[in-house]
Amino acid sequence: MEGVKHIVAVASGKGGVGKSTVTVNLALAMAAEGYRVGLLDADIYGPSQAQMLGIAPGVRPQPAGENAFKPLEAHGLQAMSMAFMVDVDEPMVWRGPMVAGAFQQLLNQTAWKDLDYLFVDMPPGTGDVQLTLAQKVPVSGAVIVTTPQDIALLDAKKGIEMFRKVNVPVLGVVENMSQHVCSQCGHQEPIFGSGGGERIAEQYQTRLLGQLPLDGTIREQADGGKPSVIADPEGNVAQTFRQVARSVAEGIDAQSDESPTISFGE
């Protein structure tokens, strides 16, 4: 893609595992490492990155030539989302092909400027948007977000298998909500189970990139438009995200320079 060196898909097989929160913090962490970073919100039905980046409702992208838009900028990121195109309360009552077409327009008609990494916040599932991304652009790799819960792991496995079928390298797994940390005493408890991220990474011969706590502060900071990497850059959560960002960069550097080819297995 013009203006983009590497595209990284951040995905999960299901909703509710904190994928969008992980995506925005991972993008901000990569920017904190000194890279030029963009963020594409590919969840057409439920875009959330506008609020997480603190971009006010009603702010619209400016044209860039006849058939493109300039991305909005927030916290040093270039960003594009369907949330910038419609009113915040307007539902997208569209069928799958329309969603895939809208995603393709956001991807290709955004005038990204000299990005080292473009993080794509994927919608839940393994459907039209995921296939459109894999088929239309060279994806450098995917990051899978899960919780330790067995039900979440079942869907995360489907996400890994989907990327493998289209020959997109899986860079690793991020285990979110790994431990609940009591705000009063600091006691840690694995509410959703333990070891799930490590098991799935071992099963699919990939890396456990990091484990993040179930902490209300992470949610409050994202809802307030200043995710953890910005709100508390020296905190443990921000440092975990920066380590994940470094691991993602290392994983991409280790990949072949060849663009992935599309190959559907039987």
Side-chain angles (χ1 to χ4, degrees):
M1 282 181 59
E2 185 176 353
V4 180
K5 291 181 181 178
H6 298 293
I7 298 173
V8 180
V10 183
S12 63
K14 64 179 286 143
V17 298
K19 173 185 52 59
S20 293
T21 301
V22 169
T23 305
V24 69
N25 276 290
L26 181 54
L28 290 166
M30 191 69 85
E33 292 294 308
Y35 297 99
R36 293 179 62 87
V37 181
L39 175 57
L40 175 62
D41 189 354
D43 193 347
I44 304 299
Y45 289 126
S48 56
Q49 292 297 350
Q51 179 169 337
M52 291 186 177
L53 289 171
I55 296 173
V59 177
R60 302 288 188 244
Q62 297 300 308
E66 294 184 1
N67 298 309
F69 290 94
K70 296 178 181 179
L72 299 183
E73 296 196 11
H75 303 310
L77 299 181
Q78 298 177 38
M80 181 56 70
S81 170
M82 182 58 72
F84 305 156
M85 305 295 186
V86 299
D87 293 336
V88 65
D89 295 325
E90 182 178 343
M92 306 307 295
V93 188
W94 289 354
R95 296 187 184 275
M98 295 176 66
V99 172
F103 166 67
Q104 191 168 337
Q105 285 185 295
L106 290 179
L107 185 68
N108 294 320
Q109 295 182 358
T110 300
W112 307 106
K113 186 176 180 181
D114 301 326
L115 294 182
D116 296 306
Y117 294 95
L118 174 63
F119 287 91
V120 183
D121 183 8
M122 304 296 291
T126 56
D128 290 325
V129 170
Q130 286 81 359
L131 289 176
T132 298
L133 178 68
Q135 291 173 332
K136 299 299 183 182
V137 295
V139 182
S140 298
V143 173
I144 304 298
V145 181
T146 187
T147 67
Q149 187 177 7
D150 288 343
I151 296 299
L153 293 171
L154 288 174
D155 290 317
K157 291 176 182 179
K158 294 177 184 177
I160 293 174
E161 291 285 3
M162 185 273 295
F163 282 114
R164 288 193 166 184
K165 283 183 180 296
V166 294
N167 287 346
V168 172
V170 175
L171 301 171
V173 176
V174 174
E175 184 183 86
N176 197 22
M177 308 181 197
S178 179
Q179 298 271 346
H180 173 256
V181 181
C182 177
S183 60
Q184 300 299 316
C185 67
H187 172 70
Q188 297 186 13
E189 184 176 0
I191 291 178
F192 295 114
S194 61
E198 186 175 5
R199 290 195 303 273
I200 195 174
E202 182 177 355
Q203 178 181 351
Y204 286 94
Q205 299 180 328
T206 186
R207 303 174 65 182
L208 178 62
L209 298 172
Q211 295 172 297
L212 297 158
L214 176 61
D215 189 332
T217 303
I218 299 175
R219 190 269 306 164
E220 292 168 2
Q221 291 166 342
D223 285 352
K226 289 187 177 180
S228 303
V229 172
I230 295 297
D232 186 15
E234 301 303 321
N236 290 334
V237 171
Q239 293 306 309
T240 298
F241 276 116
R242 292 192 66 167
Q243 180 56 54
V244 173
R246 288 191 287 268
S247 296
V248 168
E250 291 168 1
I252 290 176
D253 288 343
Q255 300 293 336
S256 168
D257 289 334
E258 295 182 2
S259 300
T261 56
I262 306 305
S263 170
F264 291 92
E266 296 182 356

